[in-house]
Amino acid sequence: MGFLKNQFSSVIEWNENGAGVLFYKFQNQEIKKGSRLIIRPGQDAIFLYNGRVEGIFEEDGDYDIESDIIPFLTTLKSFKFGFSTPLRAEVLFINTKELLVKWGTKNAINLQAPGLPGGMPIRAFGTFNCRVAQHDVLIEKLAGIRQTYTVNDVKERIIASLDQLLMSWISREGRDMFNLQADARNIAKGIESDLDADMRTLGIAISGFTIESFSYPEEIRKMQEKAAAQAMVGDMNKYTQMAAADAIGKGGGGAGMASDMVGLQMGMAIGQQMVNQMNMGGAANKMQGQQAPQAGAGPKFCPNCGTPTTGTKFCGNCGNQLYQ
């Protein structure tokens, strides 16, 4: 007979079949004699009676309702019916673990940026951590009207306010709109603080918030790549050193690549020397031209035959040399 009695005993437990659930309300409100309560690691069990918290059990284990639970309930410990009629109470299971959630902006956020009258549209992606922080607030705000509450519910609430928070924290302190990743940590810390204050009104804490990346429009990304390439090419020494180091790091033909880079530098130096020599030669020729006698410096008449001269070095009549 005792065996049959145990066959109909109720087991109050939560298997956490659905991932990312913050709390679960046990659906069968009738607790019968012989019932057992199973609390798994990472769970709390809260007994509610007429909407009031009767007891909170945080230690995992397998408990007998009549002998292990009821004596510790606030108003039901003097329950005198001996379970001749079922005890109508609710059991709320709380997930005490910290949960990691991925997030991303729904739409691009237009940020004010110099040179872009319409603003610069960006997207952001990252993760946040959440956990149940206050049982009483959670019960008051959510458990009375919800059967469960999941991380997707938290995510939906966060995404709804995330655009404004991103705009607010990015616009502070004159941040560089084209290099937000460098300041992502500070931006994330500010957003985490605001989100935590908002979610604690529901009894949930945001214990971490990170921004993994900012996504710029394709046109902006290409401009950034082009500017970086121009800056690198502008410093030839830096460019050749980086190229040689990269080639050596890849192995195989690294030595040959480094040699090519050295040869390129030597060729550029020799070419510069040739240009300098040509410039120096041109200057010397110019100075010699300035030192030569100018046309018309000799006598106006040939001293040998008296023929008028035409500014030439020799007389056109007798061939006499007019000047040295």
Side-chain angles (χ1 to χ4, degrees):
M1 194 63 153
F3 175 78
L4 293 177
K5 185 177 180 181
N6 290 332
Q7 286 288 315
F8 294 101
S9 296
S10 298
V11 177
I12 303 171
E13 62 180 336
W14 178 32
N15 292 317
E16 294 190 46
N17 294 327
V21 179
L22 291 173
F23 77 77
Y24 163 78
K25 189 184 297 180
F26 187 69
Q27 295 181 357
N28 185 4
Q29 296 183 357
E30 292 188 349
I31 301 175
K32 301 175 182 179
K33 188 173 183 178
S35 295
R36 293 164 44 235
L37 171 67
I38 298 176
I39 304 177
R40 292 181 169 81
Q43 295 179 357
D44 287 350
I46 302 176
F47 277 74
L48 303 172
Y49 185 71
N50 291 333
R52 176 180 174 179
V53 176
E54 290 291 331
I56 299 176
F57 301 89
E58 300 176 344
E59 295 292 331
D60 59 280
D62 189 335
Y63 301 92
D64 178 82
I65 294 291
E66 185 175 9
S67 60
D68 299 328
I69 301 299
I70 288 184
F72 296 96
L73 299 182
T74 304
T75 59
L76 299 180
K77 60 185 177 182
S78 58
F79 188 66
K80 299 177 180 179
F81 298 103
F83 279 111
S84 57
T85 59
L87 171 64
R88 297 187 62 84
E90 295 178 323
V91 180
L92 183 69
F93 288 94
I94 302 291
N95 186 348
T96 61
K97 297 182 289 293
E98 187 175 75
L99 303 177
L100 178 68
V101 188
K102 292 184 177 181
W103 64 266
T105 50
K106 277 187 175 181
N107 303 304
I109 305 170
N110 280 322
L111 300 175
Q112 293 182 356
L116 297 175
M120 179 173 62
I122 68 164
R123 295 177 181 271
F125 306 88
T127 61
F128 68 84
N129 301 78
C130 64
R131 60 179 177 82
V132 174
Q134 296 171 284
H135 292 161
D136 53 343
V137 178
L138 184 76
I139 293 169
E140 179 186 354
K141 300 290 186 177
L142 297 174
I145 57 175
R146 301 287 296 263
Q147 187 71 32
T148 62
Y149 199 76
T150 69
V151 292
N152 285 331
D153 295 316
V154 177
K155 181 178 178 180
E156 184 178 348
R157 185 181 178 99
I158 285 178
I159 293 298
S161 60
L162 193 55
D163 288 4
Q164 292 298 324
L165 288 175
L166 279 167
M167 293 180 66
S168 173
W169 281 97
I170 289 174
S171 301
R172 298 185 184 188
E173 302 175 5
R175 291 187 171 93
D176 182 3
M177 297 298 134
F178 298 95
N179 192 23
L180 292 174
Q181 196 62 43
D183 210 14
R185 181 178 177 84
N186 291 332
I187 297 172
K189 282 296 181 184
I191 294 176
E192 176 187 335
S193 177
D194 287 348
L195 288 176
D196 183 59
D198 176 49
M199 293 304 301
R200 280 186 181 273
T201 61
L202 301 179
I204 298 171
I206 302 300
S207 50
F209 186 89
T210 62
I211 300 175
E212 294 180 356
S213 65
F214 288 99
S215 177
Y216 294 91
E218 185 68 15
E219 296 79 3
I220 298 295
R221 188 184 63 80
K222 289 182 178 179
M223 289 173 61
Q224 290 174 327
E225 292 177 354
K226 184 176 181 180
Q230 289 176 343
M232 181 177 289
V233 173
D235 187 349
M236 194 60 192
N237 288 333
K238 182 177 180 180
Y239 176 75
T240 53
Q241 290 170 5
M242 291 181 64
D246 182 62
I248 293 171
K250 291 180 180 177
M257 180 67 73
S259 176
D260 291 343
M261 290 300 170
V262 173
L264 175 61
Q265 287 183 312
M266 292 179 63
M268 293 176 63
I270 293 172
Q272 186 63 44
Q273 290 180 0
M274 293 177 64
V275 171
N276 293 339
Q277 290 176 358
M278 291 175 64
N279 290 337
M280 292 176 62
N285 291 337
K286 185 176 181 180
M287 292 178 64
Q288 291 178 0
Q290 291 175 350
Q291 294 175 357
Q294 296 182 2
K300 294 182 179 181
F301 298 95
C302 177
N304 184 42
C305 65
T307 304
T309 63
T310 59
T312 61
K313 188 175 183 180
F314 298 94
C315 176
N317 181 42
C318 65
N320 182 44
Q321 184 174 352
L322 299 177
Y323 57 86
Q324 296 297 326

